């Protein structure tokens, strides 16, 4: 019995150390206040987006919740106002799967808001399908919608500088590739419907986020706008949101033990948005509040330039 208790204690202690180092992770250490600043957080009605918006509201920022689902966004709005004690939080409708909606959001924002100091492109999706513009769903929502939104708001960001763009990507970008032939033929980053096909397409969309950030930083050189991409960590139910109930049931015990919660998952986003002195690292990729090296495919200048040009064409920006 004594041996069993000793082993159990060792296991519990080992898990606590593992959890604090690898699961909970680093914490954003910035104490900066944001009174008089305006931020947009896409997909901020749930998960790490909601926790990011809550933290920024607590710091005094005017926070725009840019979300597709009105009912869920209004519930999040009420929660954030109550928990932050701030009335400077508003909901604006944004469907990243619709280029028309992205343009409408940007037009309304530019007409009604004087400032934009932080743009946090947080929203993401993990499911197959097509957008209303005929783009692959994950390509359209995870990347193209944010590409267009960022470009439509860049002038305002420059006017209000120093300002930042933060693109929430994923460690999965390491497994991704950008197939321009597939994009040309299917307006999608991959074909197939198997679980592995869907995972690959998700990773491809996240590689686009990182490559976009690399190219954006080059185009913003000598301006007062900087940009960063990041891996937030493996977040509880992050990839299972649209999965079937059996998968979610099987995933739950694992996610409780080994996945970050939403508060922990928001820390690297907040670090990139708030930490003083990051300007020389514009274009870099972060994980666990630390800058990380990228594989060559994620910082390939020729690929980045071509992706930008293809994206402009798909968005009608040319």
């Amino acid at each position: 019995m004594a041996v069993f208790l000793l082993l159990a204690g060792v296991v519990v202690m080992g898990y606590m150390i593992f959890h604090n180092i690898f699961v909970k992770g680093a914490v954003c250490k910035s104490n900066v206040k944001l009174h008089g600043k305006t931020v947009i957080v896409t997909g901020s009605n749930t998960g790490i987006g909601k926790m990011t918006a809550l933290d920024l509201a607590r710091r005094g920022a005017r926070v725009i919740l840019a979300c597709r689902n009105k009912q869920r966004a209004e519930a999040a709005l009420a929660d954030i106002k109550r928990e932050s004690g701030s009335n400077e939080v508003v909901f604006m409708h944004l469907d990243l799967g619709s280029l028309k909606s992205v343009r409408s959001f940007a037009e309304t924002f530019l007409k009604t808001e004087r400032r934009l100091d932080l743009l946090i492109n947080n929203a993401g999706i993990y499911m197959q399908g097509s957008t209303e513009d005929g783009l692959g769903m994950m390509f359209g929502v995870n990347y193209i919608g944010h590409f267009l939104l960022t470009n439509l708001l860049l002038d305002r960001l420059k006017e209000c500088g120093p300002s930042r763009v933060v693109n929430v990507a994923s460690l999965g970008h390491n497994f991704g590739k950008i197939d321009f032939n597939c994009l040309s033929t299917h307006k999608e980053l991959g074909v197939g419907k198997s679980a592995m096909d869907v995972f690959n397409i998700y990773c491809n969309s996240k590689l686009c986020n990182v490559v976009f950030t690399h190219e954006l930083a080059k185009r913003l050189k000598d301006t007062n706008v900087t940009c960063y991409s990041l891996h937030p960590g493996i977040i509880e139910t992050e990839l299972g949101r649209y999965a079937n109930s059996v998968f979610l049931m099987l995933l739950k015990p694992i996610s409780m033990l080994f996945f970050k919660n939403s508060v922990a998952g928001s820390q690297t986003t907040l670090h990139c948005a708030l930490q003083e002195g990051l300007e020389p690292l514009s274009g870099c990729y972060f994980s666990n509040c630390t800058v990380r090296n990228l594989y060559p495919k994620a910082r390939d200048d020729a690929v980045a330039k071509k992706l930008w040009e293809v994206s402009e064409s798909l968005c009608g920006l040319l």
Side-chain angles (χ1 to χ4, degrees):
M1 184 66 178
V3 173
F4 174 78
L5 291 174
L6 178 62
L7 288 174
V10 170
V11 170
V12 170
M13 182 64 68
Y15 173 74
M16 290 175 65
I17 295 171
F18 170 85
H19 185 274
N20 285 332
I21 296 175
F22 297 103
V23 179
K24 185 177 180 181
V27 175
C28 174
K29 296 178 180 178
S30 174
N31 294 316
V32 68
K33 298 300 181 183
L34 299 173
H35 299 284
K37 307 290 188 181
T38 298
V39 306
I40 294 173
V41 185
T42 70
S44 43
N45 59 355
T46 188
I48 61 176
K50 182 179 178 182
M51 292 302 100
T52 300
L54 174 59
D55 186 283
L56 299 174
R58 283 172 171 161
R59 293 171 186 265
R62 178 169 174 79
V63 181
I64 311 299
L65 308 182
C67 309
R68 179 183 61 84
N69 188 302
K70 181 180 179 180
Q71 183 176 358
R72 293 178 67 183
E74 289 180 342
L77 177 69
D79 289 344
I80 293 170
K81 282 185 172 182
R82 182 182 66 254
E83 294 179 35
S84 68
S86 171
N87 286 320
E88 289 294 306
V89 188
V90 297
F91 159 62
M92 290 180 59
H93 180 263
L94 171 65
D95 181 358
L96 288 159
S98 164
L99 297 179
K100 180 180 178 181
S101 176
V102 175
R103 291 182 180 278
S104 176
F105 172 91
E107 182 180 1
T108 300
F109 177 86
L110 293 172
K111 285 181 178 178
T112 59
E113 299 289 335
R114 296 184 303 104
R115 298 192 60 86
L116 179 58
D117 302 273
L118 275 173
L119 172 60
I120 299 180
N121 292 321
N122 163 83
I125 198 169
Y126 188 92
M127 64 180 294
Q128 280 287 59
S130 298
T131 71
E132 70 174 39
D133 303 287
L135 305 174
M137 183 65 76
M138 286 186 280
F139 175 61
V141 172
N142 295 353
Y143 168 63
I144 281 290
H146 284 129
F147 173 87
L148 177 59
L149 179 66
T150 303
N151 275 279
L152 293 176
L153 298 177
L154 269 184
D155 285 344
R156 182 60 56 84
L157 284 162
K158 291 175 182 177
E159 291 170 8
C160 299
S163 54
R164 297 183 183 183
V165 178
V166 178
N167 295 317
V168 178
S170 167
L171 180 67
H173 83 272
N174 287 321
F175 307 105
K177 64 178 182 179
I178 300 175
D179 185 339
F180 289 106
N181 289 328
C182 188
L183 272 180
S184 176
T185 304
H186 301 286
K187 293 185 179 181
E188 174 60 295
L189 294 167
V191 295
K193 296 183 179 180
S194 71
M196 184 54 67
D197 291 329
V198 176
F199 175 73
N200 286 336
I201 294 169
Y202 174 81
C203 292
N204 298 344
S205 73
K206 290 303 177 177
L207 178 58
C208 287
N209 293 146
V210 178
V211 171
F212 165 52
T213 307
H214 175 76
E215 178 68 14
L216 180 62
K218 291 171 60 179
R219 293 172 182 256
L220 291 174
K221 188 178 180 180
D222 298 324
T223 73
N224 52 8
V225 184
T226 53
C227 59
Y228 315 89
S229 64
L230 66 100
H231 169 57
I234 307 301
I235 312 302
E236 185 178 353
T237 71
E238 175 187 3
L239 299 185
R241 188 185 307 167
Y242 299 97
N244 62 51
S245 58
V246 175
F247 174 81
L248 292 176
M249 182 177 66
L250 294 173
L251 181 67
K252 188 65 177 178
I254 299 172
S255 68
M256 290 176 64
L257 290 173
F258 299 106
F259 291 5
K260 287 184 178 183
N261 61 28
S262 297
V263 173
S266 68
Q267 296 306 303
T268 302
T269 299
L270 293 167
H271 176 84
C272 291
L274 303 172
Q275 187 62 46
E276 298 88 340
L278 290 190
E279 286 76 13
L281 299 175
S282 183
C284 287
Y285 168 79
F286 288 75
S287 179
N288 210 25
C289 298
T290 304
V291 68
R292 306 291 186 178
N293 292 328
L294 289 167
Y295 288 134
K297 66 180 177 181
R299 47 184 170 84
D300 185 307
D301 290 340
V303 170
K305 183 174 183 292
K306 184 172 183 179
L307 178 64
W308 188 285
E309 291 169 350
V310 169
S311 303
E312 282 184 321
S313 178
L314 290 171
C315 290
L317 288 175
L318 293 176

